[in-house]
Amino acid sequence: MLRIRRFEERCAELYSATKIRGFVHLCIGEEAVAVGVHKALADDDAVVSTYREHGHALAKGITMDAVMAEMYGKATGCSHGRGGSMHLFDRDARFYGGNAIVGGGLPLAVGLALADTRLGRRQVTACFFGDGAVAEGEFHESLNLAALWRLPVLFCCENNQYAMGTPLRREHANTDLGARAVGYGMRSMEVDGMDVLAVEAAAHEAVAHIGRHREPVFLELRTYRFRAHSMYDPDRYRDKTEIESWKRRDPIPALAASLRATADLSDSDMDKMESEVTAEIDGAVAAAEAAPVEPESELTRHVYTERA
Ligand SMILES: Cc1ncc(C[n+]2csc(CCOP(=O)(O)OP(=O)(O)O)c2C)c(N)n1
């Protein structure tokens, strides 16, 4: 969680310094969701994400060098510098985006799970999306097909209470998001998305259920983004006291405090982690700065699959 938090804080600084261009959506405050769910996944499970995906990509094991270079639009980035912040991708890691279209990742996840099933593979596909996606048609089509065809998809709804500037009660006639999944005959679980251990336990249970019953599960992860929707957003729609009250539930100090109480974590452990993370980020920034951009001659590559 610390690695994701510090990485994104540096990205915000780099964005303000115009080193990073385009749209940047930070998941600061939501790290427990990314880390807790990934703890329950195997390396060869697939992940599909949204434009708020830096945390998912790092948790999935894409190197910080490859993610930072992508933020810079450099050739060494995980999408060859063509995607930027919103379109991180790594086929070998089975990380299938980084999708800018709200709800767009859901049918992809269903397709990946269908492919795994048809190929006789036992992997799970975890699909992250926001509360805003639950109002999209793609959400309903995807959940229906996943339930009907009994596909191994872990639907992870990051309910951070807002779709851009629109609060939950103004985007959903029924704010019980899990009820939609139950309506498709799917098991639904509600989780405190600010508690990494609760997320990990729920995700483990959900993955075990998928493995045992060969059917999808819906996880609603109640969380909050501490920053604006994107780096462009002036964030005028949220009450400052609401933001402060969620910050008091920050998942990183909460976990640190409980580990300190059991003497599993000391100040020097924490300092060591901070300096390791800083060194990793410094290295990634230096490598991204020094990396080349894609040459013009490569412009038409990667539009279609290349023959081996
Ligand atoms: C199909 C579609 N409609 C509208 C948008 C513009 N848009 C970008 S983000 C966003 C809000 C989505 O909120 P949510 O799904 O809750 O995710 P969060 O940003 O809170 O993580 C909207 C409406 C879009 N990208 N795609």
Side-chain angles (χ1 to χ4, degrees):
M1 289 195 285
L2 195 63
R3 204 170 152 253
I4 295 170
R5 173 74 54 95
R6 298 290 177 255
F7 174 84
E8 287 210 319
E9 286 168 347
R10 184 71 68 86
C11 287
E13 287 168 25
L14 293 166
Y15 185 87
S16 302
T18 68
K19 296 279 188 185
I20 293 172
R21 315 307 296 268
F23 287 97
V24 173
H25 305 79
L26 304 176
C27 71
I28 289 176
E30 302 184 11
E31 296 89 346
V33 170
V35 172
V37 170
H38 277 86
K39 280 277 173 198
L41 299 176
D43 286 349
D44 59 356
D45 284 336
V47 169
V48 179
S49 182
T50 65
Y51 45 82
R52 198 181 300 288
E53 87 279 34
H54 309 149
H56 305 144
L58 292 173
K60 185 73 173 100
I62 306 182
T63 66
M64 200 180 275
D65 280 4
V67 177
M68 187 58 89
E70 191 57 42
M71 307 291 284
Y72 268 76
K74 295 294 184 78
T76 49
C78 56
S79 307
H80 302 280
R82 289 151 193 259
S85 164
M86 293 204 284
H87 300 101
L88 304 176
F89 183 93
D90 187 329
R91 190 177 58 177
D92 293 339
R94 301 206 76 211
F95 186 82
Y96 299 101
N99 294 285
I101 302 301
V102 173
L106 285 137
L108 293 179
V110 172
L112 287 160
L114 178 63
D116 277 340
T117 304
R118 289 262 168 103
L119 293 168
R121 302 195 299 215
R122 299 286 297 177
Q123 286 93 341
V124 167
T125 297
C127 179
F128 292 93
F129 53 91
D131 42 279
V134 174
E136 295 275 348
E138 284 173 300
F139 170 87
H140 296 275
E141 294 173 23
S142 300
L143 263 74
N144 180 53
L145 284 181
L148 183 68
W149 293 339
R150 303 182 73 88
L151 298 176
V153 184
L154 178 61
F155 291 102
C156 301
C157 177
E158 296 184 321
N159 178 4
N160 64 10
Q161 332 288 329
Y162 289 87
M164 275 185 165
T166 310
L168 203 65
R169 67 179 185 286
R170 294 190 65 189
E171 58 169 317
H172 295 284
N174 176 359
T175 55
D176 179 358
L177 304 182
R180 315 286 205 288
V182 172
Y184 291 108
M186 199 180 295
R187 180 170 178 198
S188 167
M189 298 162 73
E190 218 174 80
V191 193
D192 177 359
M194 306 307 271
D195 177 346
V196 69
L197 300 179
V199 174
E200 181 184 359
H204 265 297
E205 194 181 327
V207 168
H209 181 102
I210 292 169
R212 237 188 342 265
H213 302 283
R214 308 311 294 165
E215 61 184 22
V217 173
F218 182 89
L219 273 188
E220 181 193 344
L221 303 133
R222 300 247 169 112
T223 185
Y224 200 78
R225 56 173 163 73
F226 295 166
R227 302 256 183 144
H229 169 76
S230 73
M231 292 297 292
Y232 275 127
D233 172 18
D235 202 2
R236 295 212 181 92
Y237 45 86
R238 299 193 300 184
D239 186 353
K240 298 291 168 272
T241 56
E242 178 185 289
I243 301 173
E244 289 313 312
S245 74
W246 278 91
K247 280 189 176 170
R248 285 195 286 279
R249 303 190 47 221
D250 189 327
I252 299 176
L255 180 65
S258 81
L259 292 175
R260 278 203 169 96
T262 53
D264 284 333
L265 184 79
S266 65
D267 285 345
S268 71
D269 293 332
M270 200 69 198
D271 291 346
K272 186 162 169 276
M273 267 191 280
E274 287 280 7
S275 43
E276 281 170 5
V277 169
T278 305
E280 189 184 6
I281 298 170
D282 288 346
V285 171
E289 294 265 354
V293 290
E294 284 259 276
E296 245 176 79
S297 56
E298 296 283 284
L299 203 62
T300 56
R301 277 190 68 202
H302 308 300
V303 177
Y304 298 105
T305 305
E306 287 172 14
R307 286 179 206 283

